[in-house]
PDB file of all heavy atoms in Angstrom:
ATOM      1  N   LEU A 982     -87.518  35.522 -42.141  1.00 98.00           N
ATOM      2  CA  LEU A 982     -86.597  35.094 -43.192  1.00 98.00           C
ATOM      3  C   LEU A 982     -85.168  35.581 -42.977  1.00 98.00           C
ATOM      4  O   LEU A 982     -84.250  35.142 -43.659  1.00 98.00           O
ATOM      5  CB  LEU A 982     -87.124  35.541 -44.564  1.00 98.00           C
ATOM      6  CG  LEU A 982     -87.456  37.019 -44.779  1.00 98.00           C
ATOM      7  CD1 LEU A 982     -86.239  37.821 -45.153  1.00 98.00           C
ATOM      8  CD2 LEU A 982     -88.521  37.152 -45.851  1.00 98.00           C
ATOM      9  N   ALA A1004     -93.299  34.044 -43.240  1.00 98.00           N
ATOM     10  CA  ALA A1004     -92.923  34.332 -44.638  1.00 98.00           C
ATOM     11  C   ALA A1004     -93.348  33.122 -45.446  1.00 98.00           C
ATOM     12  O   ALA A1004     -93.526  32.022 -44.884  1.00 98.00           O
ATOM     13  CB  ALA A1004     -91.422  34.544 -44.784  1.00 98.00           C
ATOM     14  N   VAL A1005     -93.465  33.309 -46.741  1.00 98.00           N
ATOM     15  CA  VAL A1005     -93.762  32.138 -47.570  1.00 98.00           C
ATOM     16  C   VAL A1005     -92.470  31.411 -47.929  1.00 98.00           C
ATOM     17  O   VAL A1005     -92.414  30.179 -47.909  1.00 98.00           O
ATOM     18  CB  VAL A1005     -94.595  32.511 -48.825  1.00 98.00           C
ATOM     19  CG1 VAL A1005     -93.886  33.469 -49.737  1.00 98.00           C
ATOM     20  CG2 VAL A1005     -95.000  31.266 -49.604  1.00 98.00           C
ATOM     21  N   GLY A1006     -91.399  32.161 -48.232  1.00 97.00           N
ATOM     22  CA  GLY A1006     -90.119  31.540 -48.570  1.00 97.00           C
ATOM     23  C   GLY A1006     -89.454  30.990 -47.314  1.00 97.00           C
ATOM     24  O   GLY A1006     -89.511  31.609 -46.253  1.00 97.00           O
ATOM     25  N   THR A1025     -96.236  30.902 -44.707  1.00 98.00           N
ATOM     26  CA  THR A1025     -97.462  31.696 -44.885  1.00 98.00           C
ATOM     27  C   THR A1025     -97.822  31.914 -46.363  1.00 98.00           C
ATOM     28  O   THR A1025     -97.879  33.062 -46.829  1.00 98.00           O
ATOM     29  CB  THR A1025     -97.305  33.063 -44.184  1.00 98.00           C
ATOM     30  OG1 THR A1025     -96.255  33.796 -44.851  1.00 98.00           O
ATOM     31  CG2 THR A1025     -96.956  32.929 -42.724  1.00 98.00           C
ATOM     32  N   LEU A1029     -99.855  36.764 -49.027  1.00 98.00           N
ATOM     33  CA  LEU A1029     -99.063  37.908 -49.485  1.00 98.00           C
ATOM     34  C   LEU A1029     -98.957  37.943 -51.003  1.00 98.00           C
ATOM     35  O   LEU A1029     -98.253  38.790 -51.569  1.00 98.00           O
ATOM     36  CB  LEU A1029     -97.663  37.885 -48.848  1.00 98.00           C
ATOM     37  CG  LEU A1029     -96.915  36.549 -48.898  1.00 98.00           C
ATOM     38  CD1 LEU A1029     -96.119  36.416 -50.149  1.00 98.00           C
ATOM     39  CD2 LEU A1029     -96.036  36.421 -47.666  1.00 98.00           C
ATOM     40  N   ALA A1165     -88.178  38.138 -55.915  1.00 98.00           N
ATOM     41  CA  ALA A1165     -88.154  36.756 -55.405  1.00 98.00           C
ATOM     42  C   ALA A1165     -87.125  36.665 -54.267  1.00 98.00           C
ATOM     43  O   ALA A1165     -87.453  36.959 -53.107  1.00 98.00           O
ATOM     44  CB  ALA A1165     -87.843  35.795 -56.547  1.00 98.00           C
ATOM     45  N   ARG A1166     -85.896  36.292 -54.619  1.00 98.00           N
ATOM     46  CA  ARG A1166     -84.811  36.268 -53.651  1.00 98.00           C
ATOM     47  C   ARG A1166     -83.558  36.793 -54.338  1.00 98.00           C
ATOM     48  O   ARG A1166     -83.294  36.451 -55.493  1.00 98.00           O
ATOM     49  CB  ARG A1166     -84.555  34.838 -53.142  1.00 98.00           C
ATOM     50  CG  ARG A1166     -85.578  34.325 -52.138  1.00 98.00           C
ATOM     51  CD  ARG A1166     -85.511  35.075 -50.813  1.00 98.00           C
ATOM     52  NE  ARG A1166     -86.411  34.540 -49.808  1.00 98.00           N
ATOM     53  CZ  ARG A1166     -87.640  35.002 -49.549  1.00 98.00           C
ATOM     54  NH1 ARG A1166     -88.121  36.021 -50.236  1.00 98.00           N
ATOM     55  NH2 ARG A1166     -88.377  34.457 -48.597  1.00 98.00           N
ATOM     56  N   HIS A1214     -86.933  45.001 -49.744  1.00 98.00           N
ATOM     57  CA  HIS A1214     -87.713  43.768 -49.565  1.00 98.00           C
ATOM     58  C   HIS A1214     -89.115  44.080 -49.009  1.00 98.00           C
ATOM     59  O   HIS A1214     -89.479  43.662 -47.905  1.00 98.00           O
ATOM     60  CB  HIS A1214     -86.962  42.787 -48.648  1.00 98.00           C
ATOM     61  CG  HIS A1214     -87.350  41.356 -48.866  1.00 98.00           C
ATOM     62  ND1 HIS A1214     -86.480  40.298 -48.715  1.00 98.00           N
ATOM     63  CD2 HIS A1214     -88.538  40.802 -49.216  1.00 98.00           C
ATOM     64  CE1 HIS A1214     -87.109  39.159 -48.967  1.00 98.00           C
ATOM     65  NE2 HIS A1214     -88.375  39.441 -49.270  1.00 98.00           N
ATOM     66  N   SER A1217     -94.298  42.064 -49.355  1.00 98.00           N
ATOM     67  CA  SER A1217     -95.498  41.786 -48.548  1.00 98.00           C
ATOM     68  C   SER A1217     -95.812  42.915 -47.580  1.00 98.00           C
ATOM     69  O   SER A1217     -96.651  42.747 -46.687  1.00 98.00           O
ATOM     70  CB  SER A1217     -95.296  40.485 -47.762  1.00 98.00           C
ATOM     71  OG  SER A1217     -94.225  40.640 -46.848  1.00 98.00           O
ATOM     72  N   ARG A1223     -99.247  41.783 -43.755  1.00 98.00           N
ATOM     73  CA  ARG A1223     -98.410  41.435 -42.596  1.00 98.00           C
ATOM     74  C   ARG A1223     -99.270  40.944 -41.431  1.00 98.00           C
ATOM     75  O   ARG A1223     -98.858  40.053 -40.683  1.00 98.00           O
ATOM     76  CB  ARG A1223     -97.547  42.622 -42.183  1.00 98.00           C
ATOM     77  CG  ARG A1223     -96.454  42.950 -43.191  1.00 98.00           C
ATOM     78  CD  ARG A1223     -95.315  41.935 -43.158  1.00 98.00           C
ATOM     79  NE  ARG A1223     -94.435  42.038 -44.308  1.00 98.00           N
ATOM     80  CZ  ARG A1223     -93.399  42.887 -44.434  1.00 98.00           C
ATOM     81  NH1 ARG A1223     -93.113  43.724 -43.455  1.00 98.00           N
ATOM     82  NH2 ARG A1223     -92.664  42.889 -45.525  1.00 98.00           N
ATOM     83  N   MET A1226    -100.102  37.403 -42.341  1.00 98.00           N
ATOM     84  CA  MET A1226     -98.922  36.542 -42.191  1.00 98.00           C
ATOM     85  C   MET A1226     -98.676  36.212 -40.720  1.00 98.00           C
ATOM     86  O   MET A1226     -98.375  35.071 -40.364  1.00 98.00           O
ATOM     87  CB  MET A1226     -97.686  37.236 -42.778  1.00 98.00           C
ATOM     88  CG  MET A1226     -97.705  37.316 -44.285  1.00 98.00           C
ATOM     89  SD  MET A1226     -96.515  38.526 -44.917  1.00 98.00           S
ATOM     90  CE  MET A1226     -94.964  37.669 -44.652  1.00 98.00           C
TER      91      MET A1226
HETATM   92  C1  DGY B 659     -91.738  35.951 -48.178  1.00 58.01           C
HETATM   93  O1  DGY B 659     -92.756  35.823 -47.482  1.00 58.01           O
HETATM   94  O2  DGY B 659     -91.025  34.999 -48.481  1.00 58.01           O
HETATM   95  C2  DGY B 659     -91.400  37.335 -48.662  1.00 58.01           C
HETATM   96  O3  DGY B 659     -90.174  37.398 -49.254  1.00 58.01           O
HETATM   97  C3  DGY B 659     -91.504  38.346 -47.553  1.00 58.01           C
HETATM   98  O4  DGY B 659     -92.816  38.496 -47.246  1.00 58.01           O
END
Side-chain angles (χ1 to χ4, degrees):
L982 54 84
V1005 61
T1025 65
L1029 48 88
R1166 284 292 184 265
H1214 205 147
S1217 63
R1223 291 286 166 84
M1226 289 164 74

